Amino acid sequence: MHRHVISINGEPASTIVVGRGVEDALVEFAGTRTSRLIAVLCQPTTMGLADLYSGSLVDEGFQVTGYTVPDGEEAKRLSVVEDVYRFLNESGFTRDDLVIGVGGGALTDVAGFIGGTYLRGVPVMYIATTLVGAVDAAIGGKTGVNVDGKNLAGVFAHPEAVLIDVDILDRLPDSLKREGAAEALKVGFIEDMSIVEAYEREALGVDLEEIVNRSVAVKVGVVNEDFRERGRRAILNYGHTVGHAIETTTGRSHGDSVAVGMVAEGAASRAALGFTGEERQRAVLEQVGLPLEAPDATAQTVLALMQRDKKRDAEGLRMVLLEEFASPKLVHVDDATVQAAFEGIGLT
Ligand code: GLY
């Protein structure tokens, strides 16, 4: 069992537990409060797991009530958030009670948003059940719902604990291991090449406990320095300027979209900063089965969506680019660099 701690202003804010079997940690963290009421939020795909964890909590004397939101990104809608607020209100939920989100990145994003806003903030815990969630979405206190673009509304709010059961991750279908590989490889490209080397050696057969621990360690280090993304945290968005636009316009999975986004931003990195790792990056993405292009997108739509990206500021569009592996920079990009990004993924 490995524990990572996110601290804000020197105070511990969130503990991330990575191991095999997390019921004991669940009861431990839930038991740190005097209140015994817990609302478990899940999606249809995680209902079985949510029931199991709820059972463990009931056995320990907690009063557990459950709510199921729609699957996938459909959960991240303000209308869903309002439904859950009503449910919490009807359940007599107070600021002393606890919300537990059981699911992947979409579920923890919306559970965190609800926890961060209901009654101006109630305690939240996540049980991250996908690799994307475990290596990225559930870690670091970003929450959000989609409006026109991805995560356009959200709050920074830390879950008290994030529990990651590697036995669950090991049982995921390859499609979800591949999706998570995109985010884990992103962490590799920007900071820890041992993650990239592991995927180069073993493709989807990598040791997920090792991959998750390394990815979480990098993310915790970055978030501890810059929780509110005033600077360094932006490096975690490598591949995401183009990736979010691809995801919105094509409806492809987050992992597939980020993979294509990294190919594009790798090409932009070559054009703007002389990055020489483009081929190696493409090769490892291909080796794990991630896409390198999005033929179903058009340059015009992707550009229009990028113009609304959160990373844009008054001076224009910004992207995270690599000078070399493990050396990322957030830079304003000119038209030629955007053009190079689009050419890198065959966008016309
Ligand atoms: N997913 C990027 C971040 O948490 O900052």
Side-chain angles (χ1 to χ4, degrees):
M1 225 25 105
H2 209 100
R3 291 185 181 217
H4 307 256
V5 178
I6 293 181
S7 303
I8 307 296
N9 301 326
E11 292 291 316
S14 188
T15 303
I16 297 121
V17 179
V18 183
R20 295 186 180 274
V22 291
E23 283 82 357
D24 288 350
L26 173 66
V27 171
E28 173 197 329
F29 281 100
T32 56
R33 62 197 64 260
T34 47
S35 154
R36 308 302 281 174
L37 178 61
I38 296 176
V40 173
L41 305 184
C42 67
Q43 291 179 303
T45 43
T46 56
M47 241 154 100
L49 283 172
D51 283 350
L52 276 177
Y53 292 123
S54 299
S56 305
L57 290 164
V58 168
D59 290 347
E60 295 295 324
F62 292 94
Q63 183 195 340
V64 182
T65 170
Y67 192 95
T68 307
V69 300
D71 261 333
E73 291 288 306
E74 286 299 298
K76 293 178 60 173
R77 292 184 356 197
L78 284 169
S79 60
V80 171
V81 170
E82 193 175 349
D83 290 344
V84 180
Y85 289 156
R86 292 215 168 86
F87 161 75
L88 293 175
N89 191 26
E90 281 157 18
S91 307
F93 205 82
T94 72
R95 276 191 182 145
D96 294 327
D97 301 319
L98 173 68
V99 170
I100 300 181
V102 180
L107 187 278
T108 55
D109 275 1
V110 74
F113 183 83
I114 290 161
T117 51
Y118 189 65
L119 305 179
R120 299 202 180 91
V122 298
V124 180
M125 268 171 60
Y126 302 152
I127 301 176
T129 61
T130 64
L131 190 55
V132 178
V135 299
D136 187 54
I139 316 297
K142 276 189 184 175
T143 74
V145 291
N146 304 328
V147 184
D148 284 336
K150 284 268 295 177
N151 301 329
L152 274 192
V155 285
F156 286 101
H158 270 301
E160 291 188 354
V162 181
L163 310 182
I164 299 168
D165 185 345
V166 182
D167 283 335
I168 292 175
L169 303 183
D170 277 341
R171 289 197 295 267
L172 290 172
D174 279 358
S175 57
L176 291 181
K177 287 186 179 165
R178 194 173 295 129
E179 244 212 280
E183 288 289 359
L185 281 166
K186 173 203 76 181
V187 175
F189 298 142
I190 61 166
E191 179 136 344
D192 182 351
M193 284 300 282
S194 74
I195 296 174
V196 177
E197 286 157 12
Y199 276 105
E200 285 173 336
R201 268 193 321 270
E202 296 171 65
L204 290 186
V206 285
D207 174 351
L208 289 180
E209 190 161 3
E210 172 83 9
I211 295 290
V212 171
N213 272 318
R214 284 189 175 276
S215 302
V216 171
V218 169
K219 185 148 189 187
V220 166
V222 172
V223 171
N224 278 349
E225 268 181 51
D226 178 26
F227 171 44
R228 287 186 180 273
E229 198 172 301
R230 307 267 192 240
R232 181 165 155 72
R233 182 166 181 166
I235 65 170
L236 295 167
N237 295 322
Y238 179 54
H240 284 61
T241 304
V242 176
H244 273 163
I246 301 270
E247 186 174 353
T248 303
T249 171
T250 67
R252 284 165 177 258
S253 72
H254 184 67
D256 280 7
S257 304
V258 167
V260 175
M262 290 192 288
V263 174
E265 294 176 23
S269 301
R270 174 193 19 89
L273 303 177
F275 172 56
T276 56
E278 221 184 330
E279 276 319 306
R280 183 172 178 192
Q281 182 182 266
R282 291 174 71 95
V284 67
L285 292 169
E286 193 163 28
Q287 192 181 345
V288 299
L290 284 160
L292 306 180
E293 293 191 347
D296 40 349
T298 64
Q300 199 186 6
T301 320
V302 171
L303 185 61
L305 286 163
M306 279 168 35
Q307 306 285 14
R308 288 192 244 142
D309 187 84
K310 287 193 293 307
K311 287 172 286 308
R312 194 184 161 81
D313 67 8
E315 286 170 55
L317 191 59
R318 293 189 297 174
M319 267 183 207
V320 178
L321 300 181
L322 299 178
E323 285 179 306
E324 52 188 291
F325 286 123
S327 182
K329 271 176 88 168
L330 180 64
V331 294
H332 285 102
V333 286
D334 58 17
D335 291 348
T337 305
V338 173
Q339 186 60 31
F342 285 180
E343 278 166 13
I345 53 172
L347 265 195
T348 48

